[in-house]
Amino acid sequence: MAGLSRRLVLAGLGASLAGRLAAAQSARQPFPAWVESFRAPARAKGISDAVYDRVMGGVTPDTSVYARDSAQPEFREQLWQYLNRRISEWRIRTGIAAYKANARLLKKLEGDFGVAPDILLGLWGMESAFGELVTDPDHMKPVFNSLAALAWGEERRRRYWETELINALAIVQRGWGTPQAMLGSWAGAMGHTQWMPEVWLNLGIDYDGDGRVSPYEVGDALAGTSRYLLKRGSYQRGIPWGFEVSLTGVPAKLADERTTRPVEAWGGLGVKPAGGGRFSHPKAVARLWAPVGADGPAFLLTKNFYAVKSYNPSMNYALAVCHLGDRVLGGAPFVTPFPGGERPLTLAEVQEVQKRLTAAGFDTGGTDGRVGNMTMQAVRDFQQKAGIAPADGYAGLEVLQALRGR
């Protein structure tokens, strides 16, 4: 999105969203009248009447988008929980299979763009679980129904949503997508690496040479995301995202600084690779980050970590992407444990939790070992019923033991 992080819209809709949007929508003109009035700004941006009628004539506004954010259960995850859930055995296994099936493609992408396979795998895994969610009806809905509802009734960012709706219309006009096939999140993010329409239009690449750009094609999606990292994240070829480090004997104040130094200069201050050895890229410029303090894992972060962060403005997200990519390619868990943390459940244990919850009347939406929002809600409902505090929705060892003891 020009001038905005592609995910800023997802972070900005607050808890009072549903009521405010409903009020705004009810004060506006009826949807059919709004559709006709919106024809003029669409036409001014080059959208033909034929395309406009074809698309907007079939739109039913998905007003559930107004409540979608605030209606989702509020899960307050600690960082170790956030990482355990997203870098699960299920996701690592799925990622390994995706890597084996696309190793040649990833090597070619690295040659063309310089973006390392671990970063692309991490983003692909975080955004769509390596394609598992691309057309999943529980996660992806018709984009035009969502964007039209937001452009019609969301007052606070109405101009943004109107622009993205016109961008989506432009995609259809270019012949890159159809209204029926354009499925995405409630906010309109689409495909394997979840592009908003603006990203599709401006950074998409026809990498497979079929004459159209599509985030639903793995090659196009990963190529466009590579371009995104280069253009908007200033990704630098040939350096890793960072290193886990040991801060033993290092002054605590160093981890609170925002200073960047060459890795070898950090080494001169006592920062060492976690687990021993030497740093592989001593000249790379990095910042020191200790997300939970000196007693937990700490990292030297290069500019490529922040390139990943340009995709979603969350340090936790970027760390999960980077670590997931490492794990898929055979990397080890972090050397230093998180204070108060615990190991993630195995795939078999997660499936056991899901099966036991389902048998107890808590719907997990499946028993495949992937922890999504339905499983988290089921866990939280069980925690509340069982008196487990905090009822945070985290499927961990305490929940597993409580279910076994029922």
Side-chain angles (χ1 to χ4, degrees), residues 56-107:
M56 299 304 291
V59 167
T60 299
D62 183 359
T63 56
S64 70
V65 296
Y66 303 143
R68 188 69 57 88
D69 187 68
S70 59
Q72 289 295 336
E74 195 172 323
F75 301 111
R76 301 182 185 276
E77 297 173 301
Q78 297 184 58
L79 178 53
W80 64 267
Q81 293 174 314
Y82 180 92
L83 294 171
N84 280 0
R85 187 163 79 86
R86 289 158 180 82
I87 310 173
S88 63
E89 184 179 349
W90 178 90
R91 201 171 297 246
I92 292 170
R93 285 190 182 188
T94 304
I96 291 171
Y99 173 64
K100 288 180 178 177
N102 294 278
R104 184 177 298 179
L105 169 66
L106 288 160
K107 184 177 181 179

Side-chain angles (χ1 to χ4, degrees), residues 309-340:
K309 187 172 177 283
S310 75
Y311 214 76
N312 180 317
S314 162
M315 295 289 284
N316 291 356
Y317 171 91
L319 182 61
V321 165
C322 294
H323 192 44
L324 174 60
D326 286 346
R327 295 297 306 280
V328 167
L329 294 181
F334 293 136
V335 173
T336 304
F338 283 89

Side-chain angles (χ1 to χ4, degrees), residues 77-395:
E77 297 173 301
Q78 297 184 58
L79 178 53
W80 64 267
Q81 293 174 314
Y82 180 92
L83 294 171
N84 280 0
R85 187 163 79 86
R86 289 158 180 82
I87 310 173
S88 63
E89 184 179 349
W90 178 90
R91 201 171 297 246
I92 292 170
R93 285 190 182 188
T94 304
I96 291 171
Y99 173 64
K100 288 180 178 177
N102 294 278
R104 184 177 298 179
L105 169 66
L106 288 160
K107 184 177 181 179
K108 185 175 187 297
L109 287 164
E110 184 174 18
D112 289 344
F113 298 99
V115 179
D118 60 310
I119 298 300
L120 291 179
L121 286 164
L123 283 166
W124 188 12
M126 283 287 285
E127 293 296 334
S128 71
F130 303 101
E132 293 286 321
L133 306 181
V134 167
T135 57
D136 185 335
D138 290 333
H139 292 81
M140 305 299 173
K141 309 294 182 184
V143 162
F144 281 102
N145 291 351
S146 299
L147 291 177
L150 290 162
W152 171 43
E154 207 280 70
E155 290 288 341
R156 188 160 64 100
R157 286 205 178 96
R158 183 177 65 208
R159 190 168 298 175
Y160 168 77
W161 295 117
E162 289 176 346
T163 299
E164 284 293 40
L165 177 56
I166 291 173
N167 287 335
L169 288 164
I171 289 166
V172 175
Q173 185 156 292
R174 290 188 186 184
W176 290 354
T178 66
Q180 297 75 25
M182 291 169 65
L183 303 177
S185 71
W186 66 269
M190 293 169 278
H192 286 270
T193 45
Q194 291 291 276
W195 296 350
M196 290 298 290
E198 184 274 333
V199 173
W200 188 341
L201 278 179
N202 294 313
L203 295 174
I205 299 174
D206 177 19
Y207 200 65
D208 60 11
D210 66 356
R212 63 192 183 95
V213 176
S214 174
Y216 302 100
E217 300 294 335
V218 174
D220 287 9
L222 297 182
T225 295
S226 296
R227 177 184 277 182
Y228 185 103
L229 293 171
L230 290 170
K231 297 292 186 181
R232 299 190 182 175
S234 299
Y235 185 94
Q236 182 177 335
R237 180 191 292 263
I239 62 171
W241 63 265
F243 311 91
E244 186 188 356
V245 297
S246 169
L247 298 183
T248 302
V250 176
K253 67 178 183 179
L254 285 180
D256 295 327
E257 293 181 358
R258 293 188 174 273
T259 305
T260 59
R261 298 180 174 91
V263 169
E264 61 186 2
W266 286 111
L269 294 171
V271 178
K272 298 179 176 62
R278 295 182 178 181
F279 289 116
S280 60
H281 291 69
K283 301 297 183 182
V285 175
R287 175 197 162 194
L288 182 61
W289 182 47
V292 296
D295 292 334
F299 308 92
L300 286 178
L301 306 175
T302 73
K303 66 184 303 178
N304 285 348
F305 179 91
Y306 293 94
V308 172
K309 187 172 177 283
S310 75
Y311 214 76
N312 180 317
S314 162
M315 295 289 284
N316 291 356
Y317 171 91
L319 182 61
V321 165
C322 294
H323 192 44
L324 174 60
D326 286 346
R327 295 297 306 280
V328 167
L329 294 181
F334 293 136
V335 173
T336 304
F338 283 89
E342 64 181 40
R343 68 167 179 83
L345 296 185
T346 66
L347 177 62
E349 287 171 334
V350 173
Q351 290 173 318
E352 181 182 348
V353 165
Q354 291 173 324
K355 290 173 183 177
R356 289 181 181 274
L357 285 169
T358 301
F362 302 96
D363 185 9
T364 62
T367 58
D368 59 1
R370 181 175 63 82
V371 178
N373 280 332
M374 288 188 69
T375 293
M376 292 181 72
Q377 181 63 66
V379 168
R380 187 167 74 166
D381 291 344
F382 171 74
Q383 289 171 321
Q384 291 172 337
K385 185 174 181 179
I388 298 173
D392 55 9
Y394 178 70

